[in-house]
Amino acid sequence: MLQCDICKYFPSIDRLTLKALIRRKIKCPDTLELIDRIIDSSPPQESKDDRSRGLPIGNLTSQFFANVYLSGLDRFIKEQLHVKNYLRYVDDFALFHHDRHFLAEARVAIEAYLESIYLTIHPVKSQLFETKQGANFVGFRVLGNRLRVRGENLRRGKRRLKHMQKLCRLGKMERERLNLSLQSWFAHLAHAHTWYLRQNILASLQEKNLSPNGEGLRVQEKRAKG
C-alpha cells in the first residue's frame, strides 16, 4: 500500500492552473467571473516563485475546487499508471498493489505529476507499507477486519465534549445544543466499530444529567447494533 498526503495542499494550489482547469468545463463568462472572484477572495499565500497560490480557507467552494484541481491526478493514476485499487479524499490518497516495487515506481511518477501542478507530497506522511499493518485514513485506523477511531481524534473529541459539559453546568450552553453536537459526533463514530464506546459516553452523560435525549439515543444505538 502506498499512502500519500500533499504538503500544505490548500495554500499550495496554483490559482492560474485551477482557473484553466475550470475553463475546460465552464464557458459562461459571468459564471467564470464569479468563480475568479471567489478564488481570488483571500490574500495569496507566500511562495518561492511569483505565482499566486492558495484558496480561501473556510469557503465551501474551496472543497469543490480542491477536488477539481486533483481530478487530473485521479485519471493519471487510473489510466496511465493502471492502478485498479485507488482512493482519494481531497489531498489524502492511497494506492493498493501486491508488488512493492510497482508502488515505489508509482510514487516517483506521482511526484513528477504533482510537480507539474506546483504540488509536493508530504515527506513524512507519505509512506509505503504492508496493508496488514493498518493505515490511518480520514480520521480512522483501517485494519484488516476492524475500523477504529484514531487515538488523537478520540482524545480531541473527548476534550471538546468535556468543555461543553462544563459550559452546560455553568449555564453558558443549552443542553439541547450539547445533545445535537453529541449526535453529530456519534454519526462520525458510527462509521467504525465503536458501539461500546458510544454507550459508555452516553452512560457518563446520563449520570451527570447532561443528555436530555440520551435514552432515545441509546435506543437508536441498540437498533443500529441489531
Side-chain angles (χ1 to χ4, degrees):
M1 173 182 178
L2 173 63
Q3 184 175 5
C4 297
D5 177 89
I6 296 178
C7 187
K8 298 180 180 179
Y9 179 48
F10 281 89
S12 300
I13 291 176
D14 182 72
R15 295 181 180 180
L16 289 179
T17 301
L18 174 61
K19 292 174 183 178
L21 290 171
I22 293 173
R23 278 162 171 75
R24 294 180 182 178
K25 298 295 182 180
I26 298 177
K27 304 302 180 182
C28 173
D30 292 338
T31 303
L32 290 173
E33 181 183 0
L34 176 60
I35 289 174
D36 289 348
R37 289 173 58 189
I38 293 173
I39 292 174
D40 296 329
S41 63
S42 66
Q45 301 292 318
E46 294 183 6
S47 62
K48 297 179 181 180
D49 50 36
D50 58 353
R51 303 189 70 88
S52 179
R53 301 189 187 186
L55 291 180
I57 301 299
N59 281 14
L60 294 178
T61 52
S62 294
Q63 297 288 331
F64 174 77
F65 293 149
N67 278 324
V68 170
Y69 199 79
L70 286 181
S71 60
L73 174 66
D74 299 334
R75 293 191 296 272
F76 175 76
I77 292 175
K78 298 289 289 186
E79 299 172 6
Q80 297 191 37
L81 299 184
H82 304 291
V83 177
K84 294 182 179 180
N85 302 306
Y86 162 73
L87 55 88
R88 177 174 67 83
Y89 180 78
V90 191
D91 63 323
D92 294 322
F93 58 96
L95 291 70
F96 301 86
H97 198 276
H98 66 276
D99 189 339
R100 185 182 183 91
H101 180 69
F102 174 87
L103 291 175
E105 290 187 335
R107 171 170 177 161
V108 175
I110 290 171
E111 288 177 332
Y113 176 87
L114 291 176
E115 184 178 355
S116 71
I117 55 173
Y118 309 98
L119 299 175
T120 57
I121 65 173
H122 198 287
V124 177
K125 295 181 180 180
S126 302
Q127 303 175 6
L128 182 62
F129 52 86
E130 295 183 0
T131 53
K132 65 181 181 181
Q133 298 177 5
N136 293 325
F137 198 77
V138 293
F140 295 98
R141 181 69 178 174
V142 184
L143 302 170
N145 60 350
R146 295 191 68 79
L147 190 64
R148 297 178 178 175
V149 181
R150 291 184 60 186
E152 177 56 34
N153 289 42
L154 181 57
R155 288 189 290 272
R156 188 184 304 116
K158 287 184 175 180
R159 287 196 298 268
R160 183 172 182 271
L161 179 59
K162 185 177 180 180
H163 177 67
M164 295 178 72
Q165 289 176 324
K166 180 179 179 180
L167 293 178
C168 282
R169 287 194 297 268
L170 295 175
K172 296 182 178 180
M173 178 184 288
E174 296 291 334
R175 293 187 180 184
E176 185 59 26
R177 181 180 173 187
L178 171 63
N179 192 57
L180 291 174
S181 180
L182 182 66
Q183 291 184 54
S184 175
W185 190 34
F186 273 25
H188 172 73
L189 294 178
H191 290 289
H193 295 82
T194 57
W195 190 85
Y196 290 106
L197 168 65
R198 285 173 276 158
Q199 292 306 305
N200 290 334
I201 295 173
L202 277 177
S204 174
L205 287 171
Q206 289 169 359
E207 288 176 1
K208 300 174 182 177
N209 194 28
L210 287 174
S211 183
N213 296 326
E215 189 59 35
L217 279 171
R218 182 182 293 276
V219 171
Q220 293 176 18
E221 290 288 310
K222 289 182 178 179
R223 290 176 179 172
K225 183 183 180 184

